[in-house]
Amino acid sequence: MLSKGLKRKREEEREKEALAVDSWWLDPSLPAVAQAPPAVASSSLLDLSVLKLHHSLRQSEPDLRHLVLVVNTLRRIQASMAPEPTLPPVPSPPAAPCVADNLLASSDAALSASMASLLEDLSHIEGLSQAPQPLVDEGPPGRPTGGSPPNLGALDLLGPATGCLLDDELEGLFEDIDTSMYDSELWAPASEGLKPGPEDGPGKEEALELDEAELDYLLDVLVGTQALERPPGPGR
Amino acid sequence: MAGEGPARGGAGRGSRAGAARGPDAPGVSAGAGGGGCPAGGNDLQWCFSQVKGAIDEDVAEADIISTVEFNYSGDLLATGDKGGRVVIFQREQENKGRPHSRGEYNVYSTFQSHEPEFDYLKSLEIEEKINKIRWLPQQNAAHFLLSTNDKTIKLWKISERDKRAEGYNLKDEDGRLRDPFRITALRVPILKPMDLMVEASPRRIFANAHTYHINSISVNSDHETYLSADDLRINLWHLEITDRSFNIVDIKPVNMEELTEVITAAEFHPHQCNVFVYSSSKGTIRLCDMRSSALCDRHAKFFEEPEDPSSRSFFSEIISSISDVKFSHSGRYMMTRDYLSVKVWDLNMESRPVETHQVHEYLRSKLCSLYENDCIFDKFECCWSGSDSAIMTGSYNNFFRMFDRNTRRDVTLEASRENSKPRASLKPRKVCTGGKRKKDEISVDSLDFNKKILHTAWHPAENIIAVAATNNLYIFQDKLN
């Protein structure tokens, strides 16, 4: 079989350079990654593809078709080499402990970044049923729980039904986080939910007063008496 | 912007040596019969007719043929090459004195269509290689064709001149102006016959409309408009207007980092002037109707065959990439060529093709090597016979494949100098995939992957085919023709 003389030197520099130039195809959220091909690609196939990509990009005017096909193939190869994500989808609170387990197992560095965005996202969560999407690849389960407290803290914020017990002292870690938005009745225990806040009172009274005044007026109109002499009630 | 100055070349018709082509190999032996028994039934028996091009082993890059196309009548056969030249062959009239000369093709015109250009703004060279040639239907004595390179499409007029005027009043025979005061009598110029001269002149230049590389052009059935397609966009032109075109398809993502698919080919429907199709690198075909909206980003039909999970590999997408799409003459079907197969689609059925023909399935186990040497990216074309009963496409080792849709039979033939005896029948070839190699078979590992037949053309009415093998053009005819 005649080859076109492609040199397959394994130079780490070139590989790094190639990755730096165009690392967008490494984005794990792309659908191609989700469907992993059956076999795992050899590293030489990966090297070859990276070499082709680099060669293609180096052209003054790259052949777009060639480039796109090489990149898509490279994605498939990458997908077959990355470890399978073990996180199942988490639609309801009872499943939250599974989330906890997996979050426990993941790396610290990756999670600290995701935790920051997670806390932001929580402000948008409408109901307890929603769980945060996993943002990074998970490592194998069973890793030591060295970096776990922040994870559990976040789960606590999600709702009371997580089933995970927190040590009180760990809450001190969150002193710098402004949790005022989480102090609403949405997060409070069910027994406190019905206690009206200071704002509720005048509003209610006001509402009642308005109703009385309106009723009087209506009665007057119905009876036919001129209502102009009557001063308007408070709250109007 | 129309017109670029006088055309170059214009070879005399009698000349057998075109600018880029060597002398013809003799294709006729007077009196000699075909030899061998006539083919049975509807089987076509292909015979060598002619070969054009130099015989040298050392092939100049510029001489590599990049496109082949018969005109509407089949009397003219055009080729374009990597050097930007176009050579047109014309079929000789049947000669009663030589009954076996069934119409040979001889050089009619040669001209330089495109020159290498330099884009100073982007600091890159634009190749002069002719990507496609498409003929316009003939409307008068002259012939028109469109030829394109990566960026610019040109409309060429090829006209004959066989008379010239003699006896001008204001100038001499050699063109010198006569002194008007010396003229004492007026004369009427008379037309005298001259040796036939064929002139090619550029009538329109359609430029600056494509950011990416043009891969297809297609003349509409209205004979007034045509489309040009590059990797991401398709433009609609009017043949008379060169300074603007309409963009009808645009698949460029807002963020180029999201690019995953490109346009690979496009063609107008042969009868419905509002319908065209385009194929993609992901093995899909979209049929669009220009009546539905000005921008045809939304397709009317979407053709895709579901992937066979058992044959899935890392190269699945690359081999599914469609390299050519052609409507049948009837307009009912279309054919697509991907790396390993040719598929015929019924336009009324989007879910899967109605026929799939394997071109060189024995290469499936070699995909990794073919990826390594880039052969997996080769773009093969395909074509229909005039009656749509057969289809043809090229392969490696100068093999080409023909599939008879009625009898369901297929044959592998070879375009080679060794098999180029006058009117010799072509012997079917066979590739041995494993085990014992029979006599006359060739093993997969012995195939020459540098000898690729990417471009083929079939005469619109007769069983005459033109096959481009690197720098040579082979013409084969059916024995019974």
Side-chain angles (χ1 to χ4, degrees):
Chain A
M1 183 140 327
L2 294 168
S3 91
K4 287 193 181 174
L6 267 178
K7 293 187 185 139
R8 297 208 280 145
K9 292 179 200 156
R10 304 189 57 184
E11 292 176 19
E12 287 177 14
E13 285 178 17
R14 199 195 302 124
E15 196 174 318
K16 281 180 194 163
E17 194 186 343
L19 290 172
V21 163
D22 253 281
S23 55
W24 50 269
W25 41 263
L26 289 172
D27 185 352
S29 68
L30 289 168
V33 176
Q35 314 155 26
V40 178
S42 66
S43 64
S44 63
L45 187 61
L46 176 70
D47 289 343
L48 178 61
S49 300
V50 169
L51 185 69
K52 281 189 184 297
L53 174 66
H54 193 63
H55 180 75
S56 198
L57 288 168
R58 256 207 307 246
Q59 307 294 318
S60 50
E61 217 180 353
D63 177 355
L64 266 185
R65 174 183 165 261
H66 187 270
L67 186 62
V68 158
L69 290 173
V70 168
V71 162
N72 290 349
T73 305
L74 199 42
R75 275 200 207 133
R76 289 194 185 209
I77 295 166
Q78 283 266 322
S80 76
M81 292 176 126
E84 293 270 338
T86 54
L87 202 64
V90 190
S92 57
C98 302
V99 177
D101 285 340
N102 286 308
L103 284 174
L104 277 171
S106 26
S107 65
D108 296 339
L111 257 179
S112 60
S114 67
M115 290 323 298
S117 57
L118 194 68
L119 291 170
E120 269 185 315
D121 289 344
L122 283 173
S123 63
H124 302 298
I125 291 175
E126 290 178 56
L128 294 172
S129 58
Q130 280 194 347
Q133 298 291 325
L135 296 172
V136 292
D137 284 343
E138 313 300 328
R143 272 190 59 189
T145 59
S148 53
N151 322 335
L152 296 173
L155 286 172
D156 197 41
L157 288 168
L158 274 176
T162 60
C164 298
L165 298 170
L166 246 193
D167 288 339
D168 288 339
E169 63 203 33
L170 291 171
E171 294 213 296
L173 289 165
F174 298 95
E175 279 174 359
D176 59 329
I177 298 170
D178 176 25
T179 57
S180 59
M181 63 172 68
Y182 307 118
D183 290 337
S184 65
E185 53 185 2
L186 189 67
W187 303 111
S191 58
E192 293 175 327
L194 295 173
K195 201 198 293 181
E199 295 171 344
D200 288 346
K204 281 185 183 169
E205 287 171 55
E206 205 172 43
L208 286 168
E209 280 191 11
L210 277 165
D211 286 345
E212 280 181 4
E214 279 180 358
L215 277 171
D216 284 343
Y217 179 69
L218 282 168
L219 280 169
D220 289 338
V221 169
L222 282 168
V223 168
T225 317
Q226 291 288 331
L228 291 170
E229 291 167 19
R230 285 192 100 173
R236 274 218 186 159
Chain B
M1 238 187 137
E4 204 180 36
R8 290 201 215 163
R13 189 166 175 236
S15 153
R16 283 180 172 246
R21 313 263 174 259
D24 306 350
V28 168
S29 53
C37 52
N42 295 325
D43 282 350
L44 298 173
Q45 184 78 322
W46 293 100
C47 304
F48 170 82
S49 177
Q50 296 170 278
V51 62
K52 311 285 188 186
I55 310 172
D56 305 335
E57 281 298 315
D58 205 11
V59 178
E61 179 94 0
D63 289 341
I64 295 174
I65 299 171
S66 48
T67 185
V68 184
E69 189 81 358
F70 280 100
N71 75 337
Y72 281 76
S73 64
D75 282 341
L76 296 177
L77 174 60
T79 61
D81 64 22
K82 280 195 169 183
R85 284 165 306 208
V86 170
V87 179
I88 302 175
F89 302 91
Q90 188 187 49
R91 198 172 182 201
E92 298 283 358
Q93 297 300 316
E94 296 272 344
N95 193 330
K96 285 181 187 156
R98 295 159 75 198
H100 294 287
S101 160
R102 270 197 325 260
E104 279 187 350
Y105 284 86
N106 296 314
V107 177
Y108 179 65
S109 174
T110 303
F111 57 92
Q112 186 76 30
S113 171
H114 287 72
E115 296 270 17
E117 282 174 51
F118 195 78
D119 182 338
Y120 289 97
L121 208 60
K122 294 183 192 171
S123 193
L124 29 92
E125 200 175 276
I126 299 168
E127 263 190 39
E128 67 275 29
K129 172 170 83 97
I130 308 295
N131 291 336
K132 284 285 172 358
I133 287 173
R134 288 288 183 263
W135 290 93
L136 265 59
Q138 192 175 9
Q139 286 166 335
N140 51 39
H143 299 278
F144 289 86
L145 61 78
L146 288 169
S147 74
T148 186
N149 68 350
D150 283 341
K151 299 285 185 181
T152 304
I153 306 133
K154 294 187 184 180
L155 175 69
W156 287 89
K157 177 181 179 184
I158 299 104
S159 47
E160 293 183 2
R161 192 192 289 204
D162 60 357
K163 302 183 207 24
R164 63 185 168 89
E166 265 184 24
Y168 285 100
N169 289 291
L170 294 177
K171 59 181 183 186
D172 280 342
E173 291 316 316
D174 39 4
R176 274 183 309 192
L177 292 174
R178 291 168 77 193
D179 183 359
F181 297 103
R182 295 270 181 92
I183 298 169
T184 52
L186 284 177
R187 56 187 178 175
V188 177
I190 46 174
L191 292 173
K192 285 195 173 169
M194 56 177 264
D195 283 342
L196 180 71
M197 199 162 89
V198 180
E199 295 173 326
S201 61
R203 305 301 289 177
R204 304 271 187 276
I205 296 176
F206 305 91
N208 303 322
H210 285 280
T211 310
Y212 305 99
H213 294 170
I214 297 174
N215 52 54
S216 311
I217 48 175
S218 178
V219 181
N220 205 350
S221 52
D222 64 8
H223 303 159
E224 287 183 347
T225 56
Y226 74 94
L227 64 75
S228 58
D230 67 29
D231 293 317
L232 299 178
R233 298 191 177 102
I234 302 179
N235 293 331
L236 180 72
W237 301 84
H238 191 284
L239 283 164
E240 298 291 328
I241 299 167
T242 58
D243 61 354
R244 79 196 94 114
S245 68
F246 289 101
N247 176 246
I248 52 176
V249 173
D250 188 340
I251 65 165
K252 180 174 187 281
V254 171
N255 192 354
M256 275 297 268
E257 292 177 352
E258 292 159 8
L259 181 67
T260 57
E261 194 174 10
V262 297
I263 297 170
T264 52
E267 191 175 67
F268 265 119
H269 190 277
H271 311 307
Q272 295 173 37
C273 58
N274 50 292
V275 172
F276 66 93
V277 292
Y278 68 93
S279 59
S280 82
S281 55
K282 286 196 172 174
T284 65
I285 309 102
R286 288 169 176 81
L287 184 142
C288 300
D289 188 331
M290 294 196 293
R291 293 172 301 189
S292 56
S293 73
L295 187 62
C296 299
D297 275 356
R298 291 177 59 199
H299 50 265
K301 294 196 184 194
F302 183 77
F303 299 81
E304 186 179 28
E305 183 170 28
E307 193 184 1
D308 176 12
S310 64
S311 61
R312 196 164 183 205
S313 76
F314 292 108
F315 310 110
S316 291
E317 185 178 318
I318 300 180
I319 64 168
S320 75
S321 174
I322 291 172
S323 51
D324 195 16
V325 64
K326 292 264 172 51
F327 279 103
S328 65
H329 292 92
S330 64
R332 251 199 79 186
Y333 300 97
M334 67 176 176
M335 164 167 59
T336 57
R337 174 70 155 99
D338 51 69
Y339 190 62
L340 297 178
S341 68
V342 177
K343 295 178 181 173
V344 177
W345 303 77
D346 185 321
L347 293 185
N348 295 318
M349 188 163 78
E350 300 165 58
S351 53
R352 60 176 198 282
V354 290
E355 294 167 30
T356 300
H357 303 279
Q358 301 301 333
V359 181
H360 36 219
E361 182 68 12
Y362 47 79
L363 294 182
R364 194 180 285 275
S365 55
K366 310 282 181 186
L367 291 179
C368 202
S369 306
L370 294 164
Y371 178 63
E372 189 180 347
N373 64 17
D374 271 343
C375 280
I376 206 174
F377 298 102
D378 286 336
K379 291 184 286 186
F380 292 93
E381 292 172 10
C382 52
C383 58
W384 296 86
S385 68
S387 60
D388 297 337
S389 61
I391 56 184
M392 169 169 66
T393 189
S395 178
Y396 294 104
N397 207 70
N398 278 354
F399 288 171
F400 57 99
R401 300 266 288 142
M402 267 197 221
F403 305 93
D404 188 320
R405 299 176 63 220
N406 297 327
T407 64
R408 299 254 182 270
R409 281 211 277 264
D410 61 85
V411 68
T412 304
L413 300 171
E414 184 180 358
S416 73
R417 291 273 176 178
E418 289 76 39
N419 302 333
S420 302
K421 301 213 170 43
R423 297 168 57 75
S425 289
L426 292 180
K427 206 170 56 174
R429 303 304 308 259
K430 191 134 166 44
V431 176
C432 158
T433 51
K436 285 188 179 165
R437 187 176 73 85
K438 291 180 196 150
K439 193 179 173 233
D440 288 344
E441 280 186 1
I442 180 166
S443 78
V444 182
D445 297 313
S446 309
L447 295 172
D448 187 344
F449 287 84
N450 286 327
K451 290 187 180 171
K452 10 190 147 201
I453 292 182
L454 304 173
H455 313 287
T456 59
W458 204 309
H459 191 287
E462 297 180 41
N463 285 324
I464 303 171
I465 54 175
V467 172
T470 318
N471 64 323
N472 291 142
L473 182 73
Y474 287 82
I475 299 172
F476 302 105
Q477 296 195 26
D478 174 35
K479 195 173 253 167
L480 301 173
N481 201 26

